[in-house]
Amino acid sequence: MKVMMKRGASLKEVGNVLSGAEEAGFSPYVMRQEERVTVCLPGADRRRVEALAASLEGVQGVAAFSKNYKLVSREFKSADTVVNVSGVPVGGKEVVLIGGPCAVESRDQLFRAAEAMKQAGAHLLRGGAFKPRSSPYAFQGLKDRGLAFLSEAREAFGLPVVTEVMAPEDVARVGEHADVLQIGSRNMQNFRLLEAAGGAENPVLLKRGMMSTIEEMLQAAEYIVAGGNPNVILCERGIRTFERQTRNTLDITAVAVLKDLSHLPVIVDPSHSTGHRRYVIPAGLAGIAAGADGLIVESHPCPDEALCDGTQSLLPEQFRDLASATKAVARAVGRDLLA
Ligand code: PEP
Ligand code: MN
């Protein structure tokens, strides 16, 4: 339910609705659209909200939500959101490249990867310290040691870091080492994690669940934004289909649809969507052509020795090729690669 305030309602009147709603046990948050203020009460019972509103000043009316997501929608905010990642704008006119290994495997491996990414033109460094692996016997990541290496690499190469967080209780700790918190495909609907990310200071990279619809993805993003964190980057990383030649099927249409429905930046992951090194560049370029604001791409100094996702990891020189082709495609669609 939502309580729409009258045009020009005072701060005090809005405050009274908020505190009344809190006292009634609701979890209210405020939405502001031009001069209109609405107090949102997710999950609240209509009769109780009507009773509350009837006793307060400045209220125009009460209504049910018309959509399952709001704050992330273009209707709520028509201009593109540009997420500032420690000085790197994501979602502006210029597209960005995020590169690095699937997992942090050692200090040496990460440093070699970071140096190569810096030289090849990446703007942000990726690398997982906590890895959500389908098998419990697969390499699970270096965890806290990996976080420390990421912090060191960030300092050494001046690249802001994107790394995954898997559990709500880790959000604050990972956030101290990372610039961007990644929420992976397998956790897109881990609602406690989404709520915890909503309370974080860091921007969040939210990957599409491999079995999730676009609407479910936008609702997951809504959890984070409604929780107080407006800095969400959406990532299309492929969904499961009957096709077996690729690891997943990159839903290129989702890029255009997400850009249409939401003001949030959208990036494409051509690594996890294809699963094979040789399809990564074409899939990534298709993402840019479809309107993506950037790419997140796995690259390893020695992919054959990678502990995780080596077959889809670009060699550093391929990442350089990707950067120059991305620039050309971005220019062809009226954009550019961030310098
Ligand atoms: C990853 O980025 O390494 C990863 C595990 O991605 P996804 O959650 O998209 O599978
Ligand atoms: Mn990976």
Side-chain angles (χ1 to χ4, degrees):
M1 296 297 298
K2 59 185 179 183
V3 177
M4 285 95 68
M5 303 301 295
K6 286 188 179 142
R7 232 167 244 284
S10 69
L11 269 180
K12 182 154 180 274
E13 287 167 338
V14 177
N16 287 342
V17 173
L18 272 175
S19 49
E22 268 166 10
E23 275 164 33
F26 304 137
S27 309
Y29 65 89
V30 174
M31 273 183 0
R32 195 169 283 116
Q33 204 172 9
E34 281 147 25
E35 282 153 51
R36 255 282 141 64
V37 174
T38 303
V39 179
C40 300
L41 306 165
D45 171 78
R46 176 184 281 271
R47 274 203 217 139
R48 292 183 59 213
V49 176
E50 280 171 351
L52 170 75
S55 68
L56 293 168
E57 302 286 316
V59 173
Q60 162 102 29
V62 165
F65 290 117
S66 52
K67 259 194 188 166
N68 292 326
Y69 58 88
K70 206 100 198 172
L71 302 174
V72 303
S73 73
R74 279 272 180 211
E75 284 157 30
F76 179 69
K77 179 174 179 273
S78 55
D80 287 343
T81 289
V82 181
V83 174
N84 177 350
V85 178
S86 309
V88 176
V90 182
K93 184 167 183 241
E94 297 172 315
V95 305
V96 299
L97 291 175
I98 306 172
C102 179
V104 179
E105 298 167 8
S106 67
R107 187 177 182 281
D108 179 61
Q109 171 253 16
L110 181 66
F111 270 59
R112 285 201 292 148
E115 185 176 21
M117 289 301 96
K118 179 88 188 177
Q119 282 174 1
H123 305 96
L124 305 176
L125 176 66
R126 65 149 289 148
F130 294 89
K131 293 304 303 177
R133 303 307 300 282
S134 299
S135 165
Y137 308 120
F139 175 58
Q140 303 289 313
L142 297 182
K143 302 181 178 156
D144 289 281
R145 275 174 60 228
L147 290 181
F149 294 152
L150 284 165
S151 273
E152 267 192 72
R154 183 220 282 113
E155 292 312 311
F157 299 99
L159 288 173
V161 159
V162 182
T163 199
E164 180 155 357
V165 60
M166 287 170 54
E169 61 272 23
D170 294 343
V171 164
R173 196 161 89 261
V174 176
E176 282 171 26
H177 295 270
D179 295 272
V180 178
L181 298 169
Q182 175 174 321
I183 295 185
S185 191
R186 291 155 190 80
N187 272 317
M188 192 205 82
Q189 288 190 315
N190 178 340
F191 299 109
R192 297 292 85 80
L193 180 60
L194 297 174
E195 283 171 357
E201 300 289 325
N202 312 64
V204 176
L205 172 58
L206 178 67
K207 300 188 88 173
R208 180 175 180 181
M210 63 184 86
M211 315 261 265
S212 299
T213 64
I214 292 171
E215 187 180 26
E216 285 163 343
M217 185 186 197
L218 290 169
Q219 291 174 84
E222 185 84 7
Y223 265 88
I224 302 170
V225 178
N229 187 346
N231 297 311
V232 178
I233 302 164
L234 303 171
C235 178
E236 164 57 43
R237 49 78 73 204
I239 50 177
R240 264 201 186 170
T241 68
F242 50 81
E243 183 51 63
R244 295 273 81 87
Q245 294 296 319
T246 50
R247 184 172 174 183
N248 290 284
T249 296
L250 177 59
D251 182 3
I252 210 74
T253 321
V255 178
V257 175
L258 288 168
K259 292 297 295 183
D260 183 38
L261 296 178
S262 176
H263 52 84
L264 295 174
V266 177
I267 66 168
V268 161
D269 175 344
S271 307
H272 293 86
S273 45
T274 60
H276 299 284
R277 193 173 306 140
R278 58 194 218 258
Y279 305 134
V280 166
I281 294 180
L285 296 178
I288 297 296
D293 299 299
L295 302 175
I296 180 165
V297 175
E298 289 184 341
S299 177
H300 193 285
C302 197
D304 291 343
E305 287 167 22
L307 295 181
C308 184
D309 286 349
T311 55
Q312 66 192 35
S313 294
L314 295 186
L315 295 156
E317 56 267 31
Q318 291 179 305
F319 196 94
R320 250 199 314 274
D321 295 343
L322 170 70
S324 55
T326 298
K327 190 180 203 134
V329 174
R331 287 182 173 176
V333 293
R335 303 180 75 175
D336 207 341
L337 180 66
L338 186 67

